[in-house]
mmCIF file of all heavy atoms in Angstrom:
data_model
loop_
_atom_site.group_PDB
_atom_site.id
_atom_site.type_symbol
_atom_site.label_atom_id
_atom_site.label_comp_id
_atom_site.label_asym_id
_atom_site.label_seq_id
_atom_site.Cartn_x
_atom_site.Cartn_y
_atom_site.Cartn_z
ATOM 1 N N LYS A 5 2.614 -27.208 -0.818
ATOM 2 C CA LYS A 5 2.823 -26.894 -2.225
ATOM 3 C C LYS A 5 4.045 -25.997 -2.385
ATOM 4 O O LYS A 5 4.213 -25.020 -1.640
ATOM 5 C CB LYS A 5 1.568 -26.217 -2.789
ATOM 6 C CG LYS A 5 1.714 -25.765 -4.227
ATOM 7 C CD LYS A 5 1.974 -24.286 -4.342
ATOM 8 C CE LYS A 5 2.410 -23.906 -5.745
ATOM 9 N NZ LYS A 5 2.553 -22.460 -5.910
ATOM 10 N N PHE A 6 4.899 -26.331 -3.302
ATOM 11 C CA PHE A 6 6.102 -25.525 -3.548
ATOM 12 C C PHE A 6 6.028 -24.921 -4.945
ATOM 13 O O PHE A 6 5.907 -25.637 -5.946
ATOM 14 C CB PHE A 6 7.361 -26.395 -3.388
ATOM 15 C CG PHE A 6 7.582 -26.791 -1.956
ATOM 16 C CD1 PHE A 6 6.948 -27.911 -1.432
ATOM 17 C CD2 PHE A 6 8.371 -26.015 -1.124
ATOM 18 C CE1 PHE A 6 7.108 -28.257 -0.100
ATOM 19 C CE2 PHE A 6 8.538 -26.365 0.212
ATOM 20 C CZ PHE A 6 7.905 -27.485 0.721
ATOM 21 N N GLY A 7 6.087 -23.593 -4.992
ATOM 22 C CA GLY A 7 5.914 -22.872 -6.261
ATOM 23 C C GLY A 7 7.176 -22.858 -7.104
ATOM 24 O O GLY A 7 8.214 -23.409 -6.719
ATOM 25 N N GLY A 8 7.080 -22.203 -8.226
ATOM 26 C CA GLY A 8 8.148 -22.176 -9.225
ATOM 27 C C GLY A 8 9.509 -21.757 -8.689
ATOM 28 O O GLY A 8 10.524 -22.385 -8.990
ATOM 29 N N THR A 9 9.529 -20.709 -7.860
ATOM 30 C CA THR A 9 10.839 -20.274 -7.347
ATOM 31 C C THR A 9 11.385 -21.281 -6.354
ATOM 32 O O THR A 9 12.594 -21.523 -6.304
ATOM 33 C CB THR A 9 10.740 -18.921 -6.604
ATOM 34 O OG1 THR A 9 9.474 -18.376 -6.793
ATOM 35 C CG2 THR A 9 11.817 -17.984 -7.022
ATOM 36 N N SER A 10 10.489 -21.881 -5.556
ATOM 37 C CA SER A 10 10.946 -22.848 -4.560
ATOM 38 C C SER A 10 11.620 -24.038 -5.228
ATOM 39 O O SER A 10 12.459 -24.703 -4.626
ATOM 40 C CB SER A 10 9.766 -23.354 -3.732
ATOM 41 O OG SER A 10 9.087 -22.281 -3.149
ATOM 42 N N SER A 38 5.298 -27.154 -8.489
ATOM 43 C CA SER A 38 5.123 -26.454 -9.765
ATOM 44 C C SER A 38 6.225 -26.879 -10.718
ATOM 45 O O SER A 38 7.168 -27.575 -10.326
ATOM 46 C CB SER A 38 5.259 -24.948 -9.564
ATOM 47 O OG SER A 38 4.156 -24.435 -8.897
ATOM 48 N N GLY A 202 -0.919 -20.510 -12.555
ATOM 49 C CA GLY A 202 -0.827 -20.402 -11.092
ATOM 50 C C GLY A 202 -1.586 -21.515 -10.392
ATOM 51 O O GLY A 202 -1.735 -21.530 -9.170
ATOM 52 N N ASP A 205 -1.378 -24.134 -6.840
ATOM 53 C CA ASP A 205 -1.974 -23.857 -5.524
ATOM 54 C C ASP A 205 -3.322 -24.577 -5.418
ATOM 55 O O ASP A 205 -3.669 -25.156 -4.390
ATOM 56 C CB ASP A 205 -2.261 -22.357 -5.342
ATOM 57 C CG ASP A 205 -1.025 -21.483 -5.449
ATOM 58 O OD1 ASP A 205 0.089 -22.013 -5.338
ATOM 59 O OD2 ASP A 205 -1.191 -20.254 -5.644
ATOM 60 N N ILE A 222 1.299 -23.287 1.535
ATOM 61 C CA ILE A 222 1.742 -22.827 0.219
ATOM 62 C C ILE A 222 3.123 -22.217 0.425
ATOM 63 O O ILE A 222 3.263 -21.170 1.060
ATOM 64 C CB ILE A 222 0.779 -21.754 -0.339
ATOM 65 C CG1 ILE A 222 -0.672 -22.254 -0.372
ATOM 66 C CG2 ILE A 222 1.233 -21.239 -1.698
ATOM 67 C CD1 ILE A 222 -0.983 -23.286 -1.421
ATOM 68 N N TRP A 223 4.145 -22.886 -0.070
ATOM 69 C CA TRP A 223 5.530 -22.398 0.081
ATOM 70 C C TRP A 223 5.932 -21.637 -1.174
ATOM 71 O O TRP A 223 5.833 -22.159 -2.282
ATOM 72 C CB TRP A 223 6.473 -23.576 0.341
ATOM 73 C CG TRP A 223 6.267 -24.178 1.704
ATOM 74 C CD1 TRP A 223 5.316 -25.087 2.057
ATOM 75 C CD2 TRP A 223 7.013 -23.882 2.892
ATOM 76 N NE1 TRP A 223 5.412 -25.387 3.411
ATOM 77 C CE2 TRP A 223 6.455 -24.665 3.938
ATOM 78 C CE3 TRP A 223 8.092 -23.045 3.185
ATOM 79 C CZ2 TRP A 223 6.951 -24.622 5.247
ATOM 80 C CZ3 TRP A 223 8.588 -23.013 4.486
ATOM 81 C CH2 TRP A 223 8.013 -23.788 5.498
ATOM 82 N N THR A 224 6.384 -20.392 -0.953
ATOM 83 C CA THR A 224 6.677 -19.552 -2.110
ATOM 84 C C THR A 224 7.941 -18.729 -1.877
ATOM 85 O O THR A 224 8.769 -19.103 -1.035
ATOM 86 C CB THR A 224 5.429 -18.691 -2.438
ATOM 87 O OG1 THR A 224 5.701 -17.881 -3.564
ATOM 88 C CG2 THR A 224 5.003 -17.811 -1.265
ATOM 89 N N ASP A 225 8.077 -17.595 -2.577
ATOM 90 C CA ASP A 225 9.327 -16.824 -2.460
ATOM 91 C C ASP A 225 9.156 -15.575 -1.594
ATOM 92 O O ASP A 225 10.038 -14.727 -1.566
ATOM 93 C CB ASP A 225 9.858 -16.443 -3.850
ATOM 94 C CG ASP A 225 8.905 -15.568 -4.633
ATOM 95 O OD1 ASP A 225 7.713 -15.483 -4.249
ATOM 96 O OD2 ASP A 225 9.326 -14.973 -5.640
ATOM 97 N N VAL A 226 8.011 -15.430 -0.943
ATOM 98 C CA VAL A 226 7.823 -14.297 -0.023
ATOM 99 C C VAL A 226 7.252 -14.830 1.287
ATOM 100 O O VAL A 226 6.631 -15.892 1.304
ATOM 101 C CB VAL A 226 6.868 -13.220 -0.609
ATOM 102 C CG1 VAL A 226 7.557 -12.404 -1.672
ATOM 103 C CG2 VAL A 226 5.598 -13.847 -1.153
ATOM 104 N N GLY A 228 4.737 -14.678 3.112
ATOM 105 C CA GLY A 228 3.316 -14.580 3.412
ATOM 106 C C GLY A 228 2.591 -13.730 2.399
ATOM 107 O O GLY A 228 3.162 -13.294 1.389
ATOM 108 N N MET A 229 1.315 -13.523 2.702
ATOM 109 C CA MET A 229 0.524 -12.614 1.896
ATOM 110 C C MET A 229 0.791 -11.237 2.483
ATOM 111 O O MET A 229 0.623 -11.038 3.684
ATOM 112 C CB MET A 229 -0.941 -13.008 2.016
ATOM 113 C CG MET A 229 -1.828 -12.373 1.007
ATOM 114 S SD MET A 229 -3.427 -13.212 1.036
ATOM 115 C CE MET A 229 -3.743 -13.436 -0.672
ATOM 116 N N PHE A 230 1.214 -10.306 1.678
ATOM 117 C CA PHE A 230 1.624 -8.997 2.170
ATOM 118 C C PHE A 230 0.489 -7.983 2.064
ATOM 119 O O PHE A 230 -0.437 -8.166 1.283
ATOM 120 C CB PHE A 230 2.832 -8.488 1.379
ATOM 121 C CG PHE A 230 4.155 -9.037 1.843
ATOM 122 C CD1 PHE A 230 4.392 -10.401 1.845
ATOM 123 C CD2 PHE A 230 5.167 -8.185 2.277
ATOM 124 C CE1 PHE A 230 5.614 -10.916 2.267
ATOM 125 C CE2 PHE A 230 6.386 -8.683 2.700
ATOM 126 C CZ PHE A 230 6.619 -10.046 2.699
ATOM 127 N N SER A 231 0.650 -6.908 2.845
ATOM 128 C CA SER A 231 -0.347 -5.832 2.786
ATOM 129 C C SER A 231 -0.423 -5.211 1.386
ATOM 130 O O SER A 231 -1.398 -4.556 1.052
ATOM 131 C CB SER A 231 -0.026 -4.773 3.836
ATOM 132 O OG SER A 231 1.344 -4.440 3.789
ATOM 133 N N ALA A 232 0.597 -5.408 0.585
ATOM 134 C CA ALA A 232 0.583 -5.018 -0.827
ATOM 135 C C ALA A 232 1.706 -5.795 -1.491
ATOM 136 O O ALA A 232 2.581 -6.317 -0.789
ATOM 137 C CB ALA A 232 0.793 -3.516 -0.997
ATOM 138 N N ASN A 233 1.678 -5.861 -2.807
ATOM 139 C CA ASN A 233 2.722 -6.615 -3.499
ATOM 140 C C ASN A 233 4.115 -6.100 -3.091
ATOM 141 O O ASN A 233 4.476 -4.967 -3.387
ATOM 142 C CB ASN A 233 2.525 -6.462 -5.008
ATOM 143 C CG ASN A 233 3.500 -7.319 -5.795
ATOM 144 O OD1 ASN A 233 4.495 -7.791 -5.248
ATOM 145 N ND2 ASN A 233 3.208 -7.530 -7.061
ATOM 146 N N PRO A 234 4.904 -6.959 -2.413
ATOM 147 C CA PRO A 234 6.197 -6.487 -1.910
ATOM 148 C C PRO A 234 7.157 -6.057 -3.012
ATOM 149 O O PRO A 234 8.098 -5.332 -2.761
ATOM 150 C CB PRO A 234 6.737 -7.686 -1.133
ATOM 151 C CG PRO A 234 5.964 -8.862 -1.621
ATOM 152 C CD PRO A 234 4.645 -8.355 -2.080
ATOM 153 N N LYS A 235 6.888 -6.504 -4.247
ATOM 154 C CA LYS A 235 7.780 -6.084 -5.330
ATOM 155 C C LYS A 235 7.517 -4.628 -5.719
ATOM 156 O O LYS A 235 8.379 -3.979 -6.292
ATOM 157 C CB LYS A 235 7.597 -6.979 -6.559
ATOM 158 C CG LYS A 235 7.850 -8.446 -6.244
ATOM 159 C CD LYS A 235 8.907 -9.090 -7.149
ATOM 160 C CE LYS A 235 9.427 -10.388 -6.553
ATOM 161 N NZ LYS A 235 8.585 -11.547 -6.801
ATOM 162 N N ILE A 243 0.877 -10.180 6.280
ATOM 163 C CA ILE A 243 -0.336 -10.154 7.103
ATOM 164 C C ILE A 243 -0.305 -11.437 7.935
ATOM 165 O O ILE A 243 -0.190 -12.525 7.383
ATOM 166 C CB ILE A 243 -1.596 -10.146 6.197
ATOM 167 C CG1 ILE A 243 -1.502 -9.031 5.155
ATOM 168 C CG2 ILE A 243 -2.864 -10.055 7.016
ATOM 169 C CD1 ILE A 243 -2.538 -9.119 4.038
ATOM 170 N N LEU A 254 -8.327 -10.414 -2.027
ATOM 171 C CA LEU A 254 -6.981 -9.925 -2.383
ATOM 172 C C LEU A 254 -6.430 -10.680 -3.583
ATOM 173 O O LEU A 254 -5.849 -10.085 -4.487
ATOM 174 C CB LEU A 254 -6.032 -10.082 -1.195
ATOM 175 C CG LEU A 254 -5.999 -8.936 -0.205
ATOM 176 C CD1 LEU A 254 -5.036 -9.251 0.939
ATOM 177 C CD2 LEU A 254 -5.567 -7.635 -0.877
ATOM 178 N N GLY A 258 -5.506 -9.480 -7.691
ATOM 179 C CA GLY A 258 -4.132 -9.434 -8.182
ATOM 180 C C GLY A 258 -3.039 -9.870 -7.241
ATOM 181 O O GLY A 258 -1.884 -9.846 -7.622
ATOM 182 N N ALA A 259 -3.358 -10.237 -5.994
ATOM 183 C CA ALA A 259 -2.276 -10.722 -5.128
ATOM 184 C C ALA A 259 -1.904 -12.121 -5.603
ATOM 185 O O ALA A 259 -2.463 -13.135 -5.185
ATOM 186 C CB ALA A 259 -2.705 -10.731 -3.671
ATOM 187 N N LYS A 260 -0.944 -12.151 -6.502
ATOM 188 C CA LYS A 260 -0.612 -13.362 -7.247
ATOM 189 C C LYS A 260 -0.125 -14.504 -6.351
ATOM 190 O O LYS A 260 -0.072 -15.661 -6.765
ATOM 191 C CB LYS A 260 0.486 -12.980 -8.252
ATOM 192 C CG LYS A 260 0.873 -14.064 -9.201
ATOM 193 C CD LYS A 260 2.092 -13.626 -10.016
ATOM 194 C CE LYS A 260 2.684 -14.828 -10.730
ATOM 195 N NZ LYS A 260 4.144 -14.803 -10.710
ATOM 196 N N VAL A 261 0.237 -14.169 -5.131
ATOM 197 C CA VAL A 261 0.817 -15.161 -4.234
ATOM 198 C C VAL A 261 -0.118 -16.347 -4.011
ATOM 199 O O VAL A 261 0.322 -17.441 -3.667
ATOM 200 C CB VAL A 261 1.242 -14.484 -2.901
ATOM 201 C CG1 VAL A 261 0.051 -13.960 -2.137
ATOM 202 C CG2 VAL A 261 2.091 -15.392 -2.060
ATOM 203 N N LEU A 262 -1.402 -16.148 -4.250
ATOM 204 C CA LEU A 262 -2.344 -17.258 -4.107
ATOM 205 C C LEU A 262 -3.303 -17.237 -5.295
ATOM 206 O O LEU A 262 -3.910 -16.215 -5.591
ATOM 207 C CB LEU A 262 -3.133 -17.077 -2.803
ATOM 208 C CG LEU A 262 -3.887 -18.303 -2.320
ATOM 209 C CD1 LEU A 262 -2.896 -19.399 -1.912
ATOM 210 C CD2 LEU A 262 -4.776 -17.953 -1.133
ATOM 211 N N ILE A 306 -3.908 -4.185 -0.016
ATOM 212 C CA ILE A 306 -4.217 -3.378 -1.196
ATOM 213 C C ILE A 306 -3.646 -4.137 -2.379
ATOM 214 O O ILE A 306 -2.490 -4.552 -2.330
ATOM 215 C CB ILE A 306 -3.502 -2.012 -1.125
ATOM 216 C CG1 ILE A 306 -3.798 -1.336 0.210
ATOM 217 C CG2 ILE A 306 -3.907 -1.126 -2.277
ATOM 218 C CD1 ILE A 306 -2.945 -0.106 0.447
ATOM 219 N N SER A 307 -4.467 -4.364 -3.385
ATOM 220 C CA SER A 307 -3.873 -5.045 -4.528
ATOM 221 C C SER A 307 -4.350 -4.418 -5.835
ATOM 222 O O SER A 307 -5.152 -3.483 -5.812
ATOM 223 C CB SER A 307 -4.166 -6.539 -4.494
ATOM 224 O OG SER A 307 -5.519 -6.747 -4.310
HETATM 225 P P1 ADP B 901 4.955 -19.320 -6.814
HETATM 226 O O1 ADP B 901 5.813 -19.544 -7.988
HETATM 227 O O2 ADP B 901 5.579 -19.725 -5.528
HETATM 228 O O3 ADP B 901 3.561 -19.820 -6.989
HETATM 229 P P2 ADP B 901 4.045 -16.679 -7.437
HETATM 230 O O4 ADP B 901 4.984 -15.912 -8.294
HETATM 231 O O5 ADP B 901 2.853 -17.288 -8.084
HETATM 232 O O6 ADP B 901 4.890 -17.757 -6.654
HETATM 233 O O7 ADP B 901 3.545 -15.757 -6.225
HETATM 234 C C1 ADP B 901 4.451 -15.091 -5.390
HETATM 235 C C2 ADP B 901 4.585 -13.655 -5.837
HETATM 236 O O8 ADP B 901 3.340 -12.982 -5.695
HETATM 237 C C3 ADP B 901 5.503 -12.816 -4.999
HETATM 238 O O9 ADP B 901 6.833 -12.979 -5.390
HETATM 239 C C4 ADP B 901 4.993 -11.402 -5.234
HETATM 240 O O10 ADP B 901 5.708 -10.808 -6.255
HETATM 241 C C5 ADP B 901 3.581 -11.601 -5.757
HETATM 242 N N1 ADP B 901 2.585 -10.875 -4.966
HETATM 243 C C6 ADP B 901 1.659 -10.031 -5.463
HETATM 244 N N2 ADP B 901 0.897 -9.520 -4.495
HETATM 245 C C7 ADP B 901 1.340 -10.044 -3.338
HETATM 246 C C8 ADP B 901 0.955 -9.888 -1.985
HETATM 247 N N3 ADP B 901 -0.051 -9.106 -1.631
HETATM 248 N N4 ADP B 901 1.638 -10.577 -1.058
HETATM 249 C C9 ADP B 901 2.651 -11.382 -1.409
HETATM 250 N N5 ADP B 901 3.070 -11.569 -2.670
HETATM 251 C C10 ADP B 901 2.423 -10.910 -3.635
#
Side-chain angles (χ1 to χ4, degrees):
K5 176 259 168 175
F6 291 85
T9 351
S10 304
S38 288
D205 300 343
I222 305 288
W223 290 82
T224 180
D225 61 344
V226 285
M229 194 167 225
F230 278 59
S231 47
N233 185 344
K235 302 235 163 82
I243 308 168
L254 273 179
K260 185 188 167 220
V261 65
L262 195 67
I306 308 170
S307 51

